[in-house]
Structures are given as C-alpha cells and as structure tokens.
Amino acid sequence: MARTFRRGGVHPPEEKQRTERKPIETLPLPKRVVIPMAQCLGAPAEPTVKPKDAVKTGQRIGEPKGFVSTPVHASVSGTVKKVDLFPTAVGARSLCVEIESDGKDEWVEGVDLAGSDVDFSQPDAFLPALTEAGLVGMGGAAFPTHVKLKPPKDAQVDTLILNGAECEPYLTADHRLMVEHAAEIATGLQILAAVLKVERTFVGIEDNKPDAVAAMKKALAGVLGVEVVVCRTRYPQGAEKQLIQSITNHEVPPGKLPMHVGCVVQNVGTAFAAFEAVARRKPLVERVLTVSGRAIREPKNLRVRVGTPLGEIVTFCGGTTDDLRKLIFGGPMMGKALRYEDVPVVKSTSGILFFDRQEAAAVQEFPCIRCGRCLEACPQRLVPCDLGDLAEHGLYDRLADAMDCVECDSCQYACPAHRRLVHLLRLGKSEFRRLQKKG
Amino acid sequence: MLEAVLIPAAVMGGLGGLLAVVLLVAARKFAVYEDPLIAAVEAALPNANCGACGFAGCHDFASKLVATRDEKMFCPPGGKDTAAKVGALLGLQVEGRDPPVAVVLCRGSRGVANYAGEYAGLADCRAATLVDGATKVCPYGCVGLGSCVRACKYDAIEIRDGVAVVLPEKCIGDGACVAACPRGIIRMAPRGVRVYVACVSHDPGAAVRKYCKVGCIGCKRCVKACTFDAMQFDRNLARVDHDKCTACGACVGTCPQKVIEEVGLTGEAHAKAHPPPKEKKPAAEPTAAAAPPAAGA
C-alpha cells in the first residue's frame, strides 16, 4: 500500500496529462541569456566578468559570497554584453549578467559531456565538485546543496531521501527525468549518499507515476540500502517534512530542520545535477522544466539553459493563446505569479505555467465560516483560519506558530470561503520576523 | 427591623474606614518619589502618546528629559511652543523646531504611472511587495494599497488615484506612515515653505520613462538651475538639501518631468516655479519633448 503522511493534505486536479508522456526536448541554444546572480537561497554571487569579456559555456561568472552561497556559471559561450539590473522572477530589479551567444556553445576545458564514470573510491572529491558546480535544490527552494550536504557536527544524519514525489499539479519535469535518466539519477543518489556517509537511502515517488517507479526500481536493482517507496498521490507529498513522515514515520518537530530527525532530502533533479557535476564535471547551467497550462499552445518538457529569456521558450512552445491570464513560475500551488515580462529561467524554475481565464479565475473572498476545513488540510498541524485572522488584524506578535507554515497552499485550496490564507500567513511571517529583529 | 439595616451599614462602613486607613498607610509608606517636574513636563506635552520622539509615550519622554536634561531631545508634534514651555520648566534653552510633516515621494497616480497585470492578492502594501508589488510597473513607487492610511491615527494621509497624499494640516509628524511604507517612499520633512523631488528611483532615465510620466530622469536641469547648491545629485536622482534650499522655485519651473513639488511658494518664487505656458512650447530640447505638458497638472 502506498505510504503517506499522517495529517492534512489535499488532492487538487493533477493536470499532468498534458506533458507526462512527452519526452524531454532540448530548447535550441538561446541567442542571449540573462543570468541572475541571486540564484540560491542565500547571499547572491558577485559577478567576475565585465562587458565585452569572452566567456565559454560553464565558465564561472559569479563568485559565491560566504558559505551559504553558490557560484554562477555562463550557460552559453559568447560575449558579455551587460552587467546590470534586470527584471527577474526574484525581484523587479536584480543584478544579472547578460551574455550574447556566439552560437558555438564551446565548453570550458575539463567538461566531458558524455562522461558517465564515477570513481567511488574517492568520495572526498565529491563535495568540492558539487560546490564548484553551483548546485542548488532543484525542487524550487534553491537552497545551496553543499550546505545541506555538510550538516553540523551535532546532527546525526543517517537517512537520505530522494524526492521524486512531484506533488505540484501540472509539473512533470521530475517525472520525465526519472523515466529518461534513471541510471544517472541512481548514480547521483549514490554520490550524495557517499558525501553524507549514510547507508540508508530512499526514493519517494507518488503513485501516479508508475513508469517512473518502474524505471527507478530497475536502475537501482542490486544497489544495497536503497528502497524505492511508492507514496500516495496527495499534496503536499513532496514537501520535505511530509515526505520524511511518509517514508520514515518521523515527524520533524516545529521549528526544527529535517536533519534533527536524521534526514536529508534532495530532489531527483539535484541528484541528476550531482551526477553531471561529478562524472562530467559539468556545472549547473541547464535544467529540465515543464511548460504547461491551457494558454500555451504546445505544452512541453524542456531542457533549458539557465538564463534563457521567457520569450524564447514561449516561441518554441508555439506561443500563447489570446486567453493568457496568468503566468506562474513554479507550480500552481506554491509558484509565483509574475507580470508578463521577459524574465529569465533560473536554477530553481521547475515549471512555467500559462493559465487561461478559467484556470486563473480569481474568486471572490468571503468571511471565514469556521468550518475547520483548513485545519484538516494543514499538514503542519496549524490552525490557518485563526492565524490568518491574527495577521489580518495586525496582531503579528502572536504569530509564532505561523513560522512553521510551509506555505503549501493546502488550507487556501480547501477553504470554501476562498480566503487568501497563504498570503495572510506570508505577510504575518514576514512581519513577525521583523518584530523579532527589532527585539 | 431597623437592625437589619443598621448592622450591615455599620459593618460595611467600619470595613470601609479600616481599609481606607490601610490604603493611607500603604500610600505613605510605599510611596515612590517622583520628581514633580516630570508631571509638570508631561502636562506641557501634547499627551498624544504617539511615540514620534522614540520613547514609549509622553510620560517616558518626560522622565527621560528630566533625568538627562538633554537639550537635543524634542517632541516632534509639539513643535516650538511645547519646546519653549518645557524649556521654561527645566530652565533650559531648548531649541524647538516646528513639527515635521510627512511627504510622499511619489506622484505616480493612475493615468500617470504605468500599470501592468492584475493584482488579486491582499489589499495591503506589505503583502503586495511580498509577491510582486501590485500592479504598478515602477518597482519603487507608491503601491497604493493604503498601509500608511491604516497606520495613521490622525487620518492625515489618504490614497488618491492610487497614490498616497498627506494632508499637512492633520499631520502631527509622528512618522507612523514612514514605518508602515514597505517601499520607504514616505519621509519626514520640515514644515512650511519647501521644495522637494517627488521620486525615489535611481534608475536611468530611459527606465524611469517606462515606469511613469512623473519620475526623475536624472537630466540635472534642476542642479544647473539651482544657485544655492541645494540640489544634490546621486545615481540619476536629484534630491533637495533642505538646509541650503531657499525655496526660490527655480528648479520647479525647470523640471521637464514636473517631478519637483513645491509647497507654499509666493511672489517671485511662485512665478519662477510656474513659468508662463508660452515658454513651454518653444522648449524643443529632446528631454522636454517627450514629456506631455498636461501630465503633471
């Protein structure tokens, strides 16, 4: 029987049928890329190139600042045009390096694009390779991978969980990656396990992806200590804390991190990138993402260079319909709605969704009717309706509980009054943090 | 029959008297001495408990002032009058200032600023900036969802056509709106006659033109027009130094974007700030041509 987390969750329409059987296509090399320096959940990188510099694909163009920061690499070869502020998905004006492609796609020396051998006798070389490749969590949060792989000494990590749940509706990028690149992900998993020195590893996949389960089981057959766990299709199955609960039955205590229950969770996309970083010495300059929604003519799974402007992707996917009403970077539950601007793809962009009028329908909000459905839906055992009330009335100092909210959107999905609970909680969390800083 | 009334009355009365004595003794014995000056100073303050001075209310301010006798401490809403009264009580030469007034450094109202998209989130500026900052294209300007309006206890700020406007006669200068604004476009400025640049964008002119018709494009005309060196210029944005500005109005009239705002200019200064319209037409320089003359009116 498929395993699942104990409490809460919702099951929105999956909407994956548009792309789940479409093989990953590679987007033609973009003419220009705009690569943001802020691509991880930490300090932005510092640009190391100036306009008119010639760069090769994979060349480092951003130096990390501090430990919780990752380097940024050029994703095409060509000439640097500008180092300036551009609109991106993270902010209206964020520091980026614009590179005009020369169309040759010349890689830096040392990259072996066909490499597949990993020397497991020297696991100490893995972490520096991953750090150098600029790996971040590819599920969406973009937490620097090397930080996650170096838990503090007091944390006893004994379990690595590979997250292939992909619980967000519409998104199928991880799904296709598992089907098409199971062997590489399997090697990536072993690399990550070797870095963490753990014996026990799991791969969690929702039961709506039987072909991915079969592919991963086949690729991991004969590898000791790995179990492919089939999880129930239930949102937010792929949230770190929920997946840990589903697989290990441990609940991450409020305010604590997965490492406190001995777990590290990594996305399958990250495992694939880890494989490429070690076996091919290839930095993270491209990723697989899903382009979907009713307002895009040809939904696709695409392999895209980091920094590719949105316009090129739209053109490749046949353009948008006239009924485009909403553009989302990420999934429909936790992704970010953007204004239609030519923003670039970043390392953490798992999907780009184009919603039509029906999908983006903004419903009218009504007062809370105290039905308690948000309580049942919350996987974090919170009381979203009350926390939302507190935030709405500016009582931010009482929102300590809200800090445990993962903004998974389940409460808002379940709310029959269509209250904007997640937005309220997000506001409350940010104000609570501000109050705490003030002391 | 009478006893039923008298006994309880006597008991209650006696009890009352006894407790009164206890309270009297307690009040004498446990009295905390407080400088009577504090009460006097507090009485001279406006007692709005607004917190603009940085202390937790007027009593706190009064006790700190009496304890430190710091001539620099002052009550912004009270202004010069209060400062004089407090100064007389403490025997200090307290140099008061008139209460400052909040100024919104954005005039990007509907029809002037460019809008894009549709915002369906919470009607709160802070919440909007957490996502994508509502619908104005300009990433610096007034969000227009009224967080400042809700923060002001004195109804001294309101949203007109998507941009916050301060009502100076109601503003007491406590700065509550300044703290509430997530974009940081509300500043405190000296009261009375003054000139200021109503824009905070440091972006280059070409970018600003895409945001709004009344954004500072960094053309430096005001800097050249100013004969008192009061126009500071930093990364494509002009700013008035209120210590040097004489409110002559020269910069106001010269600004092609009409982004320099003036308050209370009279006489010659007013004429300079509002040059007759015929001057505008022959102004065929490229920067002036792009700004529709009717926009700022």
Side-chain angles (χ1 to χ4, degrees):
Chain A
M1 209 196 83
R3 283 192 249 176
T4 189
F5 49 97
R6 265 167 278 173
R7 167 99 197 215
V10 288
H11 191 165
E14 290 166 34
E15 301 285 349
K16 293 182 191 260
Q17 73 284 356
R18 279 185 194 81
T19 50
E20 67 186 346
R21 285 183 219 304
K22 288 191 180 168
I24 299 167
E25 289 175 57
T26 304
L27 185 84
L29 214 58
K31 286 181 201 72
R32 65 169 196 121
V33 288
V34 177
I35 303 171
M37 288 294 113
Q39 288 208 52
C40 68
L41 201 86
E46 194 112 295
T48 53
V49 286
K50 342 178 265 306
K52 294 192 184 134
D53 280 3
V55 290
K56 287 186 172 172
T57 315
Q59 185 183 328
R60 210 184 245 227
I61 55 169
E63 209 57 47
K65 259 172 88 184
F67 178 57
V68 187
S69 180
T70 50
V72 178
H73 302 81
S75 58
V76 292
S77 61
T79 325
V80 176
K81 264 181 84 184
K82 254 189 200 172
V83 179
D84 202 358
L85 301 172
F86 285 90
T88 66
V90 285
R93 318 254 317 141
S94 132
L95 189 63
C96 300
V97 172
E98 186 185 13
I99 302 171
E100 196 172 41
S101 169
D102 57 8
K104 291 182 201 144
D105 198 25
E106 274 174 44
W107 286 76
V108 282
E109 270 178 45
V111 176
D112 173 18
L113 289 177
S116 61
D117 298 328
V118 176
D119 183 7
F120 278 98
S121 62
Q122 284 172 326
D124 290 344
F126 292 163
L127 191 59
L130 299 178
T131 314
E132 166 56 36
L135 249 63
V136 299
M138 309 272 278
F143 192 77
T145 303
H146 67 274
V147 181
K148 235 178 178 179
L149 291 177
K150 223 176 165 186
K153 293 223 168 62
D154 55 330
Q156 300 238 315
V157 173
D158 56 7
T159 308
L160 169 68
I161 297 174
L162 208 56
N163 187 350
E166 199 163 53
C167 58
E168 279 268 11
Y170 290 89
L171 304 188
T172 55
D174 289 353
H175 180 179
R176 290 311 307 179
L177 199 65
M178 285 187 283
V179 171
E180 293 175 33
H181 297 283
E184 289 91 331
I185 294 172
T187 315
L189 171 65
Q190 285 163 288
I191 292 169
L192 296 174
V195 173
L196 283 165
K197 298 186 179 69
V198 296
E199 312 261 287
R200 208 162 68 123
T201 52
F202 297 95
V203 183
I205 306 172
E206 277 190 344
D207 59 5
N208 60 357
K209 298 181 254 300
D211 49 346
V213 174
M216 287 311 296
K217 275 195 174 153
K218 200 175 146 207
L220 287 164
V223 181
L224 275 178
V226 185
E227 189 187 338
V228 178
V229 181
V230 182
C231 300
R232 215 172 96 193
T233 304
R234 192 173 173 208
Y235 184 85
Q237 190 67 260
E240 204 168 55
K241 292 174 182 176
Q242 274 60 45
L243 193 65
I244 291 170
Q245 209 182 91
S246 299
I247 291 177
T248 66
N249 221 12
H250 287 315
E251 193 167 337
V252 181
K256 293 283 160 90
L257 293 169
M259 65 176 73
H260 290 106
V261 293
C263 293
V264 166
V265 182
Q266 294 284 2
N267 184 266
V268 288
T270 317
F272 181 72
F275 163 78
E276 290 205 308
V278 174
R280 301 179 176 161
R281 309 217 66 82
K282 179 180 161 189
L284 182 53
V285 294
E286 61 180 7
R287 70 157 296 142
V288 177
L289 53 81
T290 304
V291 182
S292 188
R294 287 190 210 176
I296 187 89
R297 287 189 210 271
E298 294 164 31
K300 280 181 163 84
N301 293 302
L302 284 179
R303 179 172 284 114
V304 174
R305 295 289 165 96
V306 167
T308 304
L310 186 58
E312 300 226 7
I313 295 168
V314 173
T315 318
F316 188 70
C317 293
T320 55
T321 66
D322 298 337
D323 201 21
L324 173 65
R325 294 286 291 170
K326 196 171 187 177
L327 166 70
I328 300 173
F329 258 46
M333 302 294 272
M334 292 187 67
K336 192 176 175 193
L338 296 178
R339 291 185 208 137
Y340 195 83
E341 276 179 301
D342 213 5
V343 293
V345 164
V346 291
K347 291 175 182 176
S348 61
T349 311
S350 49
I352 306 173
L353 303 179
F354 298 83
F355 279 6
D356 69 357
R357 192 172 295 269
Q358 207 180 337
E359 285 170 309
V363 280
Q364 207 197 330
E365 195 176 349
F366 293 98
C368 176
I369 56 168
R370 320 294 299 167
C371 68
R373 281 192 213 169
C374 54
L375 272 90
E376 283 165 27
C378 182
Q380 292 288 88
R381 298 173 193 266
L382 300 175
V383 189
C385 54
D386 283 359
L387 295 173
D389 274 348
L390 291 171
E392 197 168 2
H393 293 100
L395 303 168
Y396 304 121
D397 51 328
R398 298 198 214 161
L399 280 170
D401 279 357
M403 299 315 282
D404 221 29
C405 168
V406 294
E407 299 177 20
C408 72
D409 211 41
S410 295
C411 53
Q412 192 162 326
Y413 181 81
C415 180
H418 308 301
R419 293 187 74 209
R420 293 183 175 91
L421 289 164
V422 176
H423 204 173
L424 280 170
L425 279 167
R426 191 185 277 192
L427 170 70
K429 280 162 75 177
S430 102
E431 292 296 297
F432 182 79
R433 257 182 240 126
R434 218 159 60 100
L435 285 178
Q436 273 195 323
K437 251 188 214 159
K438 270 199 323 196
Chain B
M1 190 61 192
L2 200 62
E3 289 164 2
V5 177
L6 284 180
I7 292 173
V11 170
M12 292 309 287
L15 209 58
L18 190 70
L19 289 173
V21 172
V22 172
L23 282 176
L24 188 73
V25 171
R28 287 278 158 84
K29 190 161 166 101
F30 302 118
V32 178
Y33 174 77
E34 194 185 61
D35 195 333
L37 258 177
I38 293 175
V41 170
E42 198 185 341
L45 292 171
N47 280 305
N49 289 319
C50 66
C53 52
F55 295 97
C58 295
H59 183 83
D60 199 24
F61 175 78
S63 42
K64 289 273 158 50
L65 182 60
V66 170
T68 60
R69 311 238 162 190
D70 185 353
E71 292 177 17
K72 285 188 189 114
M73 280 173 70
F74 100 111
C75 164
K80 276 183 183 156
D81 295 348
T82 305
K85 274 192 230 164
V86 171
L89 281 168
L90 295 172
L92 290 173
Q93 278 293 325
V94 182
E95 197 190 317
R97 282 164 279 172
D98 270 332
V101 65
V103 172
V104 180
L105 300 187
C106 176
R107 293 172 62 209
S109 56
R110 223 165 255 288
V112 177
N114 289 333
Y115 283 68
E118 198 175 296
Y119 175 70
L122 293 175
D124 181 278
C125 304
R126 288 202 169 275
T129 46
L130 285 177
V131 285
D132 209 10
T135 51
K136 251 176 225 173
V137 175
C138 177
Y140 312 103
C142 178
V143 180
L145 293 171
S147 284
C148 51
V149 176
R150 287 185 288 281
C152 182
K153 285 184 276 183
Y154 307 95
D155 294 335
I157 192 162
E158 58 186 40
I159 302 289
R160 278 189 211 150
D161 278 343
V163 77
V165 176
V166 177
L167 310 174
E169 66 280 5
K170 285 188 180 173
C171 179
I172 65 154
D174 66 352
C177 52
V178 177
C181 181
R183 291 259 164 103
I185 57 162
I186 310 182
R187 310 266 165 87
M188 300 314 287
R191 205 170 268 270
V193 180
R194 67 177 186 279
V195 172
Y196 61 92
V197 181
C199 185
V200 293
S201 165
H202 285 289
D203 281 3
V208 173
R209 279 178 199 282
K210 284 183 192 152
Y211 301 150
C212 174
K213 286 176 190 156
V214 287
C216 177
I217 53 168
C219 68
K220 283 195 178 178
R221 283 194 190 192
C222 50
V223 180
K224 285 174 201 139
C226 184
T227 45
F228 301 93
D229 196 25
M231 263 300 170
Q232 295 170 343
F233 194 78
D234 174 33
R235 289 175 294 137
N236 303 312
L237 180 67
R239 201 175 68 84
V240 178
D241 183 346
H242 290 296
D243 294 334
K244 289 181 185 164
C245 179
T246 57
C248 71
C251 55
V252 184
T254 194
C255 178
Q257 295 290 89
K258 303 279 166 251
V259 67
I260 306 183
E261 187 102 353
E262 37 95 7
V263 177
L265 297 192
T266 52
E268 200 186 326
H270 187 264
K272 261 194 199 172
H274 300 278
K278 62 181 175 186
E279 269 185 40
K280 277 183 185 170
K281 279 174 196 159
E285 283 114 286
T287 39

